[in-house]
Structures are given as structure tokens and as C-alpha cells.
Amino acid sequence: MRAMDPAPAASKMRFDSPAFRVHEDGRVERFFGTDTTEPGFDAATGVTSKDVVLDGATGVFARLYLPALPDGPDRGRRLPILVYFHGGGLVLGSAASQMYHGYLNSVVSRAGVLAVSVDYRLAPEHPIPAAYEDSWMALGWAASRADPWLSEHGDAGRIFLAGDSGGANIVHNMAIMAGSADDDNGLPVGAVVERVILLHPMFGGKEPVDGEAADTRYHMEKLWALICPDGDGLGVDDPRLNPMAPAAPRLRALAGRRLLVCSAERDFARARAAAYYQAVKGSGWPGTAEWVESPGEEHGFFLLQPERDESSALMDRVVAFLSGE
């Protein structure tokens, strides 16, 4: 009888979590955020969406959302441009996912904004700074109103930035870059970042902040080492992850006139979000900062369970902020 071939050796893991797994050979398995849906007309909200490739070489694209336009004299009124960055720890998610597609349809319909949802490259296949470079390119593209929807309906003098989790981390970095860049490297002339929303932001740091669990810090150290292997030895005190780090740009340089920081009572990232909010308020930043905390809820609940009462309450708050209330 022929001897049976030995079973293949189990693959070693560089990173193993319920959401994704990275093998030693570089193979990545994602267990969340891989579903996608096509753009088009959404009958429930009256919002129309389409995908636009921003960089053919990298495949980076944006999904644009246009609300139903009113009849009469207001039809030609230009809309604020909301640039949204999806969450997922810079490893998961897509602008084309059903979860974000549904969320942006609702926001655009209720707030009356023209949205640009950015599909940046993900780590670890594309380590940091790829996500930030893609996002800055996309923000500049939106601000230049290069697409017909943007040129016909968008107001680059009223740019809003928003994102959740890892996307909220990107929002902070985009606001710092927009507020710090000189004329040659900044946004197009006339483009103004007016409002900024951080939903359950992903931050980190070597020194604990009040209320932060040691386990949260440990997992962030592992994640950041995976997605930013060339961090000049800064680790989680990289200014892109820790806005309060010694080497970080001054928070008073943030672009925007109004800032909304949102977290949840049981969000593992709550302590860092609260510390960030307090740091901005104490930095001398000339804008108005606001804090919203959802009682009894966890990280990203409003996306995972949009039917919950607290999800509706947070949506109301986000819409009011975008609408100028």
C-alpha cells in the first residue's frame, strides 16, 4: 500500500485576530468588510452614486453621492462637499461596502451634501504612508472639483471631512496637513476645510491616558507595527497615530472652524478620543470643538446596527453638525 503524503504544515501567522489574519508569507485573510455593492440610484433616499477612478496605477477610487436636487430657484445652489474616509483600522473596509454605502446614502440625503467616499489602499499590502498619501490625493481631487458632479454642484469653499475609526485617524491627519501646508503644497486656491468629524477615532501612544486599558494599548502596538513597519523607531508615538506625541504637529494647526469628536461609553478607543478632544480644546485652536458620547454603546455600533435608537441619535447629531445647526 502506498504511504499517505504528510499533511501540509500549518502556516505561521504574523497577525491573527477575529477580523483578519496575516500569514508569514504575506498572505492576508479578511473576515470582515469584504462585501461590496454597486453604485447607482437609491430609491429609499433619492441619492445617486457613481465610482470614479482617481489613480489608474494604484486603483484608488472614490464613490460620489449626489442627493436629489430640489426644483425651483434652489436647484442651482451649490452643496458642501463631504469627503469621507471609511474605517477598518487601515486594514479593512471599502468605500464600496454595503455598510458604508447605506450610511453615506442616509447622510447625504438628510444633510444635503455632495459626498466623496475615498477607497484608499489598505495595509499591510500597502503599508503606511500609502493610506495617507491616497487620502491627501483624493482630498485635493475633490477640492479641485475635477468631476462634473463636483464642478456643477459642489462648493469647494465648504469642504467637510468625516470618517470613522481608522478613517477618523485619516481625517485628523488630513486636517493637520490642510492646516499646515504652504501655498505650493496645500489644497487648491479657494478650497476651505470648514468642518471636521471624527467618529470613534483610532489613536495610540506609549504613555497611557486616563481610562485607557493596558490591553487596548498592547493591541494597538501590534497593529501599528504591522501596518507601519518603517516608522523611524517611533512606534505608537508616531505623530500620525498619536496627535499628542512630542514630535506631533501643533493641534492648533488643524484646518476647520468646527470639530465634532464622537465616541461611545463602551468604545475601547474612548479614552484616546476624549484625550484628543481635550488636547484640541487646550491647544489654542481658534475653532469650536464639540464632544458626543453615546451611552451604553461600543465601537462602530452606528454602522453595525443602524436601526438602534442611539444610532439614530448619533445620525441626528452628525446631520445637524453638517447642516450648520
Side-chain angles (χ1 to χ4, degrees):
M1 178 181 287
R2 180 176 175 272
M4 295 181 65
D5 293 332
S11 175
K12 293 183 178 180
M13 299 293 166
R14 288 175 55 201
F15 194 97
D16 197 355
S17 76
F20 71 97
R21 181 183 295 159
V22 182
H23 297 257
E24 283 288 355
D25 61 8
R27 185 163 48 94
V28 181
E29 293 180 277
R30 293 178 170 89
F31 311 119
F32 178 80
T34 58
D35 63 310
T36 59
T37 189
E38 292 297 315
F41 177 71
D42 181 64
T45 61
V47 173
T48 304
S49 58
K50 67 176 180 179
D51 290 343
V52 179
V53 175
L54 307 186
D55 187 330
T58 62
V60 172
F61 72 90
R63 179 160 292 186
L64 276 62
Y65 295 82
L66 183 68
L69 300 174
D71 294 323
D74 286 340
R75 186 171 181 84
R77 180 174 59 88
R78 292 194 176 275
L79 307 174
I81 299 171
L82 170 65
V83 183
Y84 194 90
F85 304 93
H86 70 79
L90 308 181
V91 176
L92 302 169
S94 165
S97 78
Q98 179 63 55
M99 184 172 70
Y100 287 105
H101 186 74
Y103 183 72
L104 267 297
N105 274 329
S106 296
V107 170
V108 167
S109 171
R110 294 189 54 190
V113 296
L114 197 169
V116 177
S117 182
V118 181
D119 197 76
Y120 52 87
R121 287 173 293 171
L122 300 176
E125 298 95 329
H126 305 284
I128 298 300
Y132 300 122
E133 292 173 346
D134 294 346
S135 298
W136 181 248
M137 179 270 293
L139 175 56
W141 177 86
S144 69
R145 300 192 299 146
D147 182 84
W149 282 10
L150 293 165
S151 62
E152 293 172 19
H153 306 292
D155 182 356
R158 291 185 296 161
I159 294 175
F160 304 159
L161 306 180
D164 65 284
S165 193
N169 172 282
I170 291 177
V171 167
H172 161 75
N173 282 280
M174 296 303 101
I176 283 289
M177 293 171 70
S180 306
D182 57 34
D183 292 342
D184 293 332
N185 298 302
L187 297 178
V189 174
V192 178
V193 173
E194 188 177 274
R195 299 175 196 176
V196 178
I197 303 177
L198 277 67
L199 297 157
H200 301 192
M202 182 186 88
F203 293 130
K206 292 179 180 178
E207 294 298 320
V209 298
D210 186 37
E212 183 180 38
D215 191 55
T216 298
R217 223 164 45 255
Y218 168 74
H219 286 294
M220 185 53 65
E221 288 171 356
K222 286 185 61 180
L223 176 62
W224 191 252
L226 174 74
I227 65 179
C228 186
D230 300 321
D232 296 326
L234 293 171
V236 289
D237 270 346
D238 187 310
R240 294 167 294 192
L241 182 66
N242 183 3
M244 288 87 77
R250 294 182 304 168
L251 290 172
R252 65 176 300 159
L254 280 168
R257 301 185 182 98
R258 294 182 64 189
L259 169 69
L260 179 65
V261 183
C262 304
S263 190
E265 183 181 7
R266 298 170 59 195
D267 181 2
F268 64 83
R270 180 200 172 281
R272 287 277 167 187
Y276 173 83
Y277 166 72
Q278 294 295 341
V280 172
K281 286 194 68 175
S283 70
W285 181 64
T288 301
E290 304 169 46
W291 170 262
V292 171
E293 183 172 329
S294 302
E297 299 294 352
E298 298 182 346
H299 190 80
F301 74 94
F302 60 97
L303 291 164
L304 299 169
Q305 297 176 302
E307 73 283 354
R308 294 177 67 87
D309 290 344
E310 286 300 328
S311 299
S312 297
L314 182 57
M315 174 65 80
D316 290 344
R317 188 67 191 86
V318 167
V319 169
F321 184 84
L322 294 173
S323 303
E325 299 174 21

